[in-house]
Amino acid sequence: MNNLTIKISGTGLTKITDHWSKSLLDMSVESAKQAISESNISPDMLIFANTLSSYSSSQENMSTIISEKLGLSNIDSFKIESSSCSGAMAVNVAHKLLSSNDIESVLVIGSEKMTDLSPSETIKATTLGESYEYTQFFGITMNSLYALFTRLYMENYNISSDDLSNFSVLSHKNSSSCKHAQFNREFSLDAINKSSIISSPLNMLNCSPIGDGSASVMLSKTNKSNFHDVNILSSISSNSSIDFYSRDNLLEFNSTANCLNKSLEKSKINLNDIDLLEVHDVVPAITANIIETMGFSDPGSATSDIISGKFDLNSKTSLSCSGGLKARGNPLSATGIYQIAEVTRQLQNRSHVDLQNKKIGLCHNMSGIDSNSVIHILGVAN
């Protein structure tokens, strides 16, 4: 069983937007039906990834409700919550279950309904994954934490906020033709840097937006779909201190580093084998630090690498081909599954971008500032 290869045999996703006419259940069923249809499989188990259903939709027990709506009876179903990396964590759990049990397939759904909340409720919702005693209680927001980290990063590497905005430029350039992305438009560097300040030095167009969305993947031991195999070469999770400001080195992403090392060892591939890269690009400085932690760029050089075109679509390693959290959107618990569904379709040559000779993709999803990290490495069958 240890040598068993788990496959992504079906994918489904909704456009990320303000879904005023659709409920959390509606979106979940929509993406799940796509994944089931693509896979030609009826799942043995359903895992629902979500953070805010009780807060934004006044509803729990969603996995059972979704199962019933899909007409799936007599199967195990449950919910997983791990803040903004709930989606990837749910896939990680599904992968473990398939590798060790007699079940043949697991449907994983990640959904979040955020736009029904008021602005103040949204701010609170996005901080629920942080410590109540040390963060929430004092009214510290996620954007203020990201701004603090950004200042530390800028001062440590002598990089300007204007230059960091090049990450957002690339994200929006890649999302412009992606139909399910929240923003289908490009922004110039000047427009991004002139957008309103959210939490200095972060501009509005440097921060990933809130949005409603759902993405689903079917994991299975056999591929019965009409598309060629995409295998999960490794599925690894790790965690670190939830309060990044209490760490010995505030710029060290130990959770991400540990995850990557174990992922490469498990998958038996090298870093330079990675063709497609999806990271938790919630704000530019976080993105840069992730890329440098992983070794795709030297410390402090990710920004200059972005400017040079090292991670463009036509480069050896392409970054955030559908726009990432910044432009595709970041519906919390669904984000990690959007990454996996997008990379799967890109490896199968059926995405909005024409990517040739791409064989290996890496998806990195995290909660907070490297509190939890999950990395999936996907590869097409030889």
Side-chain angles (χ1 to χ4, degrees):
M1 275 305 222
N2 290 333
N3 295 322
L4 179 66
T5 300
I6 307 303
K7 307 175 187 302
I8 306 291
S9 57
T11 61
L13 45 80
T14 69
K15 180 176 174 62
I16 301 174
T17 187
D18 300 347
H19 284 292
W20 301 116
S21 62
K22 294 181 181 179
S23 67
L24 183 67
L25 176 62
D26 294 333
M27 293 189 303
S28 302
V29 169
E30 181 179 339
S31 73
K33 283 183 174 179
Q34 292 176 40
I36 294 170
S37 176
E38 276 191 9
S39 69
N40 294 313
I41 293 173
S42 182
D44 300 319
M45 178 181 290
L46 185 153
I47 302 178
F48 181 58
N50 176 268
T51 302
L52 303 176
S53 65
S54 60
Y55 187 67
S56 64
S57 301
S58 300
Q59 184 67 65
E60 281 292 6
N61 201 26
M62 280 294 299
S63 62
T64 301
I65 296 171
I66 294 169
S67 296
E68 180 183 17
K69 194 72 173 179
L70 290 170
L72 301 173
S73 57
N74 299 319
I75 68 168
D76 296 324
S77 63
F78 58 94
K79 171 184 171 179
I80 282 182
E81 183 278 314
S82 188
S83 189
S84 55
C85 71
S86 298
M89 193 67 76
V91 175
N92 177 254
V93 170
H95 183 269
K96 286 183 171 68
L97 290 170
L98 280 165
S99 300
S100 60
N101 290 331
D102 58 0
I103 57 174
E104 295 296 320
S105 59
V106 180
L107 174 64
V108 185
I109 308 167
S111 303
E112 213 71 77
K113 192 83 168 72
M114 303 180 70
T115 56
D116 286 350
L117 298 172
S118 68
S120 61
E121 289 173 331
T122 301
I123 291 172
K124 179 180 178 180
T126 57
T127 61
L128 289 176
E130 297 298 306
S131 165
Y132 178 78
E133 289 85 355
Y134 296 104
T135 303
Q136 295 183 52
F137 181 80
F138 296 101
I140 300 172
T141 68
M142 286 309 301
N143 280 333
S144 64
L145 290 176
Y146 296 146
L148 173 60
F149 182 88
T150 299
R151 285 197 175 277
L152 289 167
Y153 182 88
M154 288 165 53
E155 291 175 9
N156 191 68
Y157 294 116
N158 192 27
I159 295 172
S160 71
S161 59
D162 285 2
D163 282 346
L164 280 169
S165 295
N166 282 282
F167 286 94
S168 300
V169 172
L170 178 63
S171 294
H172 281 282
K173 181 179 179 181
N174 290 351
S175 74
S176 60
S177 60
C178 179
K179 292 182 179 180
H180 65 265
Q182 189 165 1
F183 296 105
N184 305 116
R185 60 170 296 187
E186 297 186 37
F187 285 98
S188 68
L189 182 64
D190 186 60
I192 291 170
N193 287 327
K194 286 183 177 178
S195 62
S196 57
I197 294 292
I198 297 298
S199 184
S200 182
L202 291 178
N203 302 77
M204 180 179 67
L205 289 177
N206 280 140
C207 301
S208 64
I210 67 163
D212 304 333
S214 178
S216 298
V217 289
M218 183 77 80
L219 275 61
S220 61
K221 295 175 181 176
T222 58
N223 180 19
K224 297 182 180 180
S225 74
N226 296 322
F227 307 105
H228 61 251
D229 287 2
V230 171
N231 300 322
I232 300 179
L233 305 181
S234 64
S235 176
I236 304 293
S237 62
S238 182
N239 69 319
S240 185
S241 168
I242 191 171
D243 302 318
F244 97 95
Y245 44 80
S246 68
R247 300 169 190 166
D248 292 336
N249 186 332
L250 302 188
L251 292 176
E252 281 189 359
F253 280 3
N254 289 324
S255 175
T256 292
N258 292 336
C259 236
L260 178 71
N261 292 336
K262 293 178 181 178
S263 295
L264 295 177
E265 180 182 358
K266 177 69 176 178
S267 62
K268 296 181 173 59
I269 68 166
N270 299 314
L271 199 66
N272 58 13
D273 294 325
I274 304 296
D275 301 309
L276 302 171
L277 179 61
E278 294 288 332
V279 300
H280 199 83
D281 52 346
V282 63
V283 298
I286 296 285
T287 312
N289 210 58
I290 292 169
I291 290 172
E292 293 161 8
T293 296
M294 289 183 173
F296 289 101
S297 293
D298 293 331
S301 66
T303 303
S304 58
D305 285 344
I306 283 287
I307 295 171
S308 72
K310 181 178 178 179
F311 299 107
D312 287 355
L313 288 178
N314 60 355
S315 299
K316 170 60 181 78
T317 302
S318 306
L319 175 68
S320 301
C321 296
S322 296
L325 280 66
K326 174 62 199 76
R328 175 241 291 124
N330 180 28
L332 294 185
S333 298
T335 292
I337 302 180
Y338 271 97
Q339 291 179 332
I340 292 170
E342 287 164 352
V343 168
T344 297
R345 293 182 179 187
Q346 288 155 11
L347 291 173
Q348 293 171 332
N349 296 316
R350 60 186 184 103
S351 73
H352 68 289
V353 285
D354 183 19
L355 300 170
Q356 299 297 322
N357 301 316
K358 301 291 188 180
K359 303 296 183 184
I360 306 288
L362 185 151
C363 302
H364 164 271
N365 190 203
M366 77 181 186
S367 62
I369 299 180
D370 200 48
S371 300
N372 287 39
S373 293
V374 186
I375 287 179
H376 288 90
I377 296 181
L378 309 180
V380 293
N382 293 324

